[in-house]
Amino acid sequence: MVTGIVAGRLALVTGAGSGIGRAACQVLSREGATVIAADLNYDSAMETIKTIPLASGANAVGDHSAIELEVSQSASVQKALDTAMEHYKAPPTIIVNSAGIVRDNWLLKMSEEDFDKVVAVNLKGTFLVMQTFAKALTAASLPGSIINISSIVGKYGNMGQVNYVGSKAGVVGMSRVAALELGKSNIRVNAILPGFIDTPIIKSVPEKVMKEFLARIPLGRQADPVEVGELITYLASEKSSYVNGAVIDIAGGL
Ligand code: NAP
């Protein structure tokens, strides 16, 4: 018998091969969910699966699995859904959009290619995954919870990230629309805004800039990705059954 606040649920996590996505898989599985770890890099998604114990027990949906997924390509997203349906005979009722990239530069120097790439993964990717998986949930008349990972900079802006900030502000707007449209199907959609989380994506932040940011964080430190996984799992669970269309900072007070 699996126990926990998401026991017996099936979760799809994108960007699951690293950082927040990997931590989300770990906390969701600790709380009883079966996890589909999806990432551009299949091997890293499989590495994530190897870090979590087998899902076993009468109420478990099945064992965890890893899939290759390019979130910006609709055919790849559809294939991920088809694979999940074939394997588990039902769509995931928890969907976590954690895949994301940065390609930083100043506004005056940003190439069109880097702008398009970041928007394609962070914004369009979130759209495609939400649309594809929410369609499957409504077709099966299943309730669900979608958690989109935006960023605190989507709210306040950040120099050198015109593409990233634009994409993350867009994720907030899209999440609000999705919450309005999907609420009647009992599919909740929420966005979270992480601050500085200790994952590979922030390794490119120059040390001087990082020091300045740390000085502005009231808690005085970066977060462990597991702390973000805890919030994701709360939003995935029925503990947050009346939380819908919310935009929640997880930034240590930044
Ligand atoms: P991360 O460690 O770099 O993880 C991102 C994961 O997404 C990587 O495994 C990456 O795979 C995967 N990915 C990239 N492009 C993809 C695509 N097109 N399709 C599928 N998967 C793709 O970064 P993270 O810190 O965990 O970030 C997770 C989310 O949180 C992102 O949306 C990020 O913008 C957001 N966020 C992070 C922070 C922070 O401080 N860490 C703050 C605010 C928001 P590869 O490594 O193979 O490319």
Side-chain angles (χ1 to χ4, degrees), residues 164-248:
Y164 184 77
V165 169
S167 71
K168 292 300 186 178
V171 166
V172 169
M174 274 194 324
S175 303
R176 288 202 162 110
V177 173
L180 290 170
E181 294 185 6
L182 298 175
K184 63 178 181 300
S185 304
N186 206 9
I187 299 169
R188 296 182 293 112
V189 185
N190 294 290
I192 66 170
L193 312 186
F196 277 89
I197 319 301
D198 189 11
T199 75
I201 210 172
I202 60 165
K203 298 295 180 238
S204 61
V205 178
E207 209 180 314
K208 184 170 162 272
V209 177
M210 183 57 77
K211 265 192 175 165
E212 283 167 12
F213 268 111
L214 280 176
R216 287 170 42 203
I217 301 171
L219 291 185
R221 63 172 178 88
Q222 297 174 10
D224 188 296
V226 169
E227 295 177 279
V228 185
E230 300 285 357
L231 174 61
I232 290 169
T233 303
Y234 163 74
L235 289 171
S237 79
E238 283 306 294
K239 298 274 180 205
S240 60
S241 53
Y242 204 57
V243 183
N244 187 31
V247 179
I248 303 175

Side-chain angles (χ1 to χ4, degrees), residues 14-22 38-41 44 69-72 97-102 117 121-122 149-152 164 168 193-202:
T14 75
S18 178
I20 294 171
R22 173 169 289 175
D39 201 283
L40 195 53
N41 182 335
S44 64
L69 170 64
E70 162 56 90
V71 293
S72 67
N97 277 302
S98 190
I101 58 167
V102 287
K117 181 70 189 162
V121 175
N122 298 1
I149 319 300
S150 173
S151 169
I152 198 73
Y164 184 77
K168 292 300 186 178
L193 312 186
F196 277 89
I197 319 301
D198 189 11
T199 75
I201 210 172
I202 60 165

Side-chain angles (χ1 to χ4, degrees), residues 11-95:
L12 172 90
V13 180
T14 75
S18 178
I20 294 171
R22 173 169 289 175
C25 291
Q26 291 165 341
V27 181
L28 284 163
S29 70
R30 185 199 75 202
E31 292 298 327
T34 290
V35 164
I36 305 169
D39 201 283
L40 195 53
N41 182 335
Y42 173 81
D43 291 342
S44 64
M46 194 39 107
E47 281 305 311
T48 294
I49 294 303
K50 286 184 192 157
T51 70
I52 57 185
L54 290 179
S56 58
N59 59 338
V61 188
D63 209 355
H64 311 296
S65 59
I67 51 170
E68 186 182 324
L69 170 64
E70 162 56 90
V71 293
S72 67
Q73 304 287 333
S74 54
S76 178
V77 177
Q78 186 60 47
K79 193 171 162 210
L81 172 66
D82 295 344
T83 306
M85 294 293 287
E86 199 179 318
H87 195 80
Y88 299 99
K89 312 296 175 211
T93 60
I94 298 167
I95 294 119

